[in-house]
Amino acid sequence: MGRRERKKAATRKALADAALRLFIEHGYDAVTLHDVAEAADVSTTTLLKYFPGKEALVFDEEADQEAGLVSAVRDRTPGTTIPQALCAHVKRVRIRPTDSDTGYGDFFNLVAKTPALSDYAHRMWMHRQDALAHAIADDIGAPSDDLRSAALARFALEASAFAREAADAERAVDAAFELLENGWPHEPGQESGSST
């Protein structure tokens, strides 16, 4: 990385760090883009060259999210199914982060308690669907447009939103992935396709 790239990366990090600190201290809605730019000692115009909007300041590691999902499929331990690996990954990064840095807990709480950030986080999370579907298809030797792989990717990602609305998020994730792994059990006495 050259000097120019290092300087850009440092400015980007300074902006993201200032934004997170201000959002945690004062609340997301109380902080303006001008406040963040001032705290990082740059102009608002410069800030907007690095981040398209206020929500983006909070989520500066989106590429890591995609890489983590793909890695959960490709690098899972032998004997672990794709749904099992994705279940563990979703629990680790979306339900109960285990990062020892207390700042991550503050970040997690900020997002959970701010509707604009929760919605943005969910949209960004769901943007990983195609990459995850391709990783699943590649792993099972299916074509890249395999519908089963796309469906598994979609429902696996949606499981975290479903879980966050449940009283017990971890149990909700387990229930969702058990269904993805095993399908809906046939109930004795019911015909396939019956609505009763």
Coordinates of all heavy atoms in Angstrom, one line a residue, residues 46-80:
T46 N -15.4 16.2 2.5 CA -14.4 15.1 2.6 C -15.1 13.9 3.1 O -14.9 12.7 2.6 CB -13.2 15.5 3.4 OG1 -12.5 16.6 2.7 CG2 -12.2 14.4 3.5
L47 N -15.8 14.0 4.2 CA -16.5 12.9 4.8 C -17.4 12.1 3.8 O -17.3 10.9 3.7 CB -17.4 13.3 6.0 CG -18.1 12.3 6.8 CD1 -18.4 12.7 8.2 CD2 -19.5 11.9 6.1
L48 N -18.1 12.9 3.0 CA -19.0 12.3 2.0 C -18.3 11.7 0.8 O -18.9 10.8 0.1 CB -20.0 13.4 1.5 CG -21.0 13.8 2.5 CD1 -21.8 15.0 2.0 CD2 -22.0 12.7 2.9
K49 N -17.0 11.9 0.7 CA -16.2 11.2 -0.3 C -15.9 9.8 0.1 O -15.7 8.9 -0.7 CB -14.9 12.0 -0.6 CG -15.0 13.2 -1.4 CD -13.7 13.9 -1.6 CE -13.9 15.3 -2.3 NZ -12.6 16.0 -2.4
Y50 N -15.9 9.6 1.4 CA -15.6 8.3 2.0 C -16.8 7.5 2.4 O -16.8 6.3 2.3 CB -14.7 8.5 3.3 CG -13.3 8.9 3.0 CD1 -13.0 10.2 2.9 CD2 -12.3 8.0 2.8 CE1 -11.7 10.7 2.6 CE2 -11.0 8.3 2.5 CZ -10.7 9.7 2.4 OH -9.4 10.1 2.2
F51 N -17.9 8.2 2.8 CA -19.1 7.5 3.2 C -20.3 8.2 2.6 O -20.5 9.4 2.7 CB -19.2 7.6 4.8 CG -18.1 6.9 5.5 CD1 -17.0 7.5 5.9 CD2 -18.2 5.5 5.7 CE1 -16.0 6.9 6.6 CE2 -17.2 4.8 6.4 CZ -16.1 5.5 6.8
P52 N -21.2 7.4 2.0 CA -22.3 8.0 1.3 C -23.4 8.5 2.2 O -24.3 9.3 1.8 CB -22.9 6.8 0.4 CG -22.5 5.6 1.2 CD -21.1 5.9 1.8
G53 N -23.4 8.2 3.4 CA -24.4 8.6 4.4 C -24.1 8.3 5.8 O -23.1 7.6 6.1
K54 N -25.0 8.7 6.7 CA -24.7 8.6 8.1 C -24.6 7.1 8.6 O -23.8 6.7 9.3 CB -25.8 9.3 8.9 CG -25.5 9.6 10.3 CD -26.6 10.5 10.8 CE -26.7 10.5 12.3 NZ -27.8 11.4 12.8
E55 N -25.5 6.3 8.0 CA -25.5 4.9 8.4 C -24.3 4.2 8.1 O -23.7 3.3 8.8 CB -26.7 4.1 7.8 CG -28.1 4.6 8.2 CD -28.7 5.6 7.3 OE1 -27.9 6.2 6.5 OE2 -29.9 5.8 7.3
A56 N -23.7 4.5 6.9 CA -22.5 3.9 6.4 C -21.3 4.1 7.3 O -20.4 3.3 7.3 CB -22.2 4.4 5.0
L57 N -21.3 5.2 8.1 CA -20.2 5.5 9.0 C -20.1 4.4 10.1 O -19.1 4.1 10.6 CB -20.5 6.8 9.7 CG -20.1 8.0 8.9 CD1 -20.8 9.3 9.4 CD2 -18.6 8.2 8.9
V58 N -21.2 3.7 10.4 CA -21.3 2.7 11.5 C -20.8 1.4 11.0 O -20.2 0.6 11.7 CB -22.7 2.6 12.1 CG1 -22.7 1.6 13.1 CG2 -23.1 4.0 12.6
F59 N -21.0 1.1 9.7 CA -20.7 -0.2 9.1 C -19.5 -0.1 8.1 O -19.7 0.0 6.9 CB -21.9 -0.7 8.4 CG -23.1 -0.9 9.3 CD1 -24.1 0.1 9.4 CD2 -23.2 -2.0 10.2 CE1 -25.1 0.0 10.3 CE2 -24.3 -2.1 11.1 CZ -25.2 -1.1 11.1
D60 N -18.3 0.0 8.7 CA -17.1 0.2 7.9 C -16.4 -1.1 7.5 O -15.4 -1.1 6.8 CB -16.2 1.1 8.6 CG -15.0 1.6 7.7 OD1 -15.3 1.8 6.5 OD2 -13.9 1.8 8.2
E61 N -17.0 -2.3 7.9 CA -16.3 -3.5 7.6 C -17.2 -4.5 6.9 O -17.3 -5.7 7.2 CB -15.8 -4.1 8.9 CG -14.8 -3.2 9.6 CD -14.3 -3.7 10.9 OE1 -14.8 -4.8 11.4 OE2 -13.5 -3.1 11.5
E62 N -18.0 -4.0 5.9 CA -18.9 -4.8 5.2 C -18.3 -6.0 4.4 O -18.8 -7.0 4.3 CB -19.8 -4.0 4.2 CG -20.8 -3.1 5.0 CD -21.7 -3.9 5.8 OE1 -22.4 -4.8 5.3 OE2 -21.8 -3.6 7.0
A63 N -17.1 -5.7 3.8 CA -16.4 -6.8 3.1 C -16.1 -7.9 4.0 O -16.1 -9.1 3.6 CB -15.2 -6.2 2.4
D64 N -15.8 -7.7 5.2 CA -15.5 -8.7 6.2 C -16.7 -9.6 6.4 O -16.6 -10.8 6.6 CB -15.0 -8.1 7.5 CG -13.7 -7.4 7.4 OD1 -13.0 -7.6 6.4 OD2 -13.3 -6.7 8.3
Q65 N -17.9 -9.0 6.4 CA -19.1 -9.8 6.6 C -19.3 -10.8 5.5 O -19.6 -12.0 5.8 CB -20.3 -8.8 6.6 CG -21.5 -9.2 7.4 CD -22.5 -8.1 7.4 OE1 -23.1 -7.8 6.4 NE2 -22.7 -7.5 8.6
E66 N -19.1 -10.4 4.3 CA -19.2 -11.3 3.2 C -18.2 -12.4 3.2 O -18.5 -13.6 3.0 CB -19.2 -10.6 1.8 CG -19.4 -11.4 0.6 CD -19.6 -10.6 -0.6 OE1 -20.5 -9.8 -0.7 OE2 -18.8 -10.8 -1.5
A67 N -17.0 -12.0 3.5 CA -15.9 -13.0 3.6 C -16.1 -14.0 4.7 O -15.9 -15.2 4.5 CB -14.5 -12.3 3.8
G68 N -16.7 -13.6 5.8 CA -17.0 -14.5 6.9 C -18.1 -15.5 6.6 O -18.0 -16.7 6.9
L69 N -19.1 -15.1 5.8 CA -20.2 -16.0 5.4 C -19.6 -17.0 4.5 O -19.9 -18.2 4.6 CB -21.3 -15.2 4.8 CG -22.2 -14.5 5.7 CD1 -23.1 -13.4 5.0 CD2 -23.2 -15.5 6.4
V70 N -18.9 -16.6 3.5 CA -18.3 -17.5 2.5 C -17.4 -18.5 3.2 O -17.4 -19.7 2.9 CB -17.6 -16.7 1.4 CG1 -16.8 -17.7 0.5 CG2 -18.6 -16.0 0.5
S71 N -16.6 -18.0 4.1 CA -15.6 -18.8 4.9 C -16.4 -19.9 5.7 O -15.9 -21.0 5.9 CB -14.7 -18.0 5.7 OG -13.9 -18.8 6.5
A72 N -17.5 -19.5 6.3 CA -18.3 -20.4 7.1 C -18.7 -21.6 6.3 O -18.7 -22.8 6.8 CB -19.5 -19.7 7.6
V73 N -18.9 -21.5 5.0 CA -19.3 -22.6 4.1 C -18.0 -23.3 3.7 O -17.9 -24.5 3.8 CB -20.1 -22.1 2.9 CG1 -20.2 -23.2 1.9 CG2 -21.4 -21.5 3.3
R74 N -17.1 -22.6 3.1 CA -15.9 -23.2 2.5 C -14.9 -23.8 3.5 O -14.3 -24.8 3.2 CB -15.1 -22.2 1.7 CG -15.9 -21.8 0.5 CD -15.0 -20.9 -0.4 NE -15.8 -20.6 -1.6 CZ -15.6 -19.5 -2.3 NH1 -14.6 -18.6 -2.0 NH2 -16.3 -19.3 -3.4
D75 N -14.8 -23.2 4.7 CA -13.8 -23.7 5.7 C -14.4 -24.4 6.9 O -13.7 -24.5 7.9 CB -13.0 -22.5 6.2 CG -12.3 -21.7 5.0 OD1 -12.0 -22.3 4.0 OD2 -12.2 -20.5 5.1
R76 N -15.6 -24.9 6.7 CA -16.2 -25.6 7.9 C -15.4 -26.9 8.1 O -14.8 -27.5 7.2 CB -17.7 -25.9 7.6 CG -18.0 -26.8 6.5 CD -19.5 -26.8 6.2 NE -19.9 -27.9 5.3 CZ -19.7 -27.9 4.0 NH1 -19.1 -26.8 3.4 NH2 -20.0 -28.9 3.2
T77 N -15.5 -27.4 9.4 CA -14.8 -28.6 9.7 C -15.5 -29.8 9.1 O -16.7 -29.8 8.8 CB -14.8 -28.8 11.2 OG1 -16.1 -28.8 11.7 CG2 -14.0 -27.7 11.9
P78 N -14.7 -30.9 8.7 CA -15.3 -32.1 8.1 C -16.4 -32.6 9.0 O -16.3 -32.7 10.2 CB -14.1 -33.0 8.1 CG -12.9 -32.2 8.0 CD -13.3 -31.0 8.9
G79 N -17.5 -33.1 8.4 CA -18.6 -33.6 9.1 C -19.7 -32.6 9.5 O -20.7 -32.9 10.0
T80 N -19.3 -31.3 9.3 CA -20.3 -30.2 9.6 C -21.0 -29.9 8.3 O -20.4 -29.6 7.3 CB -19.5 -29.0 10.1 OG1 -18.8 -29.3 11.3 CG2 -20.5 -27.8 10.4

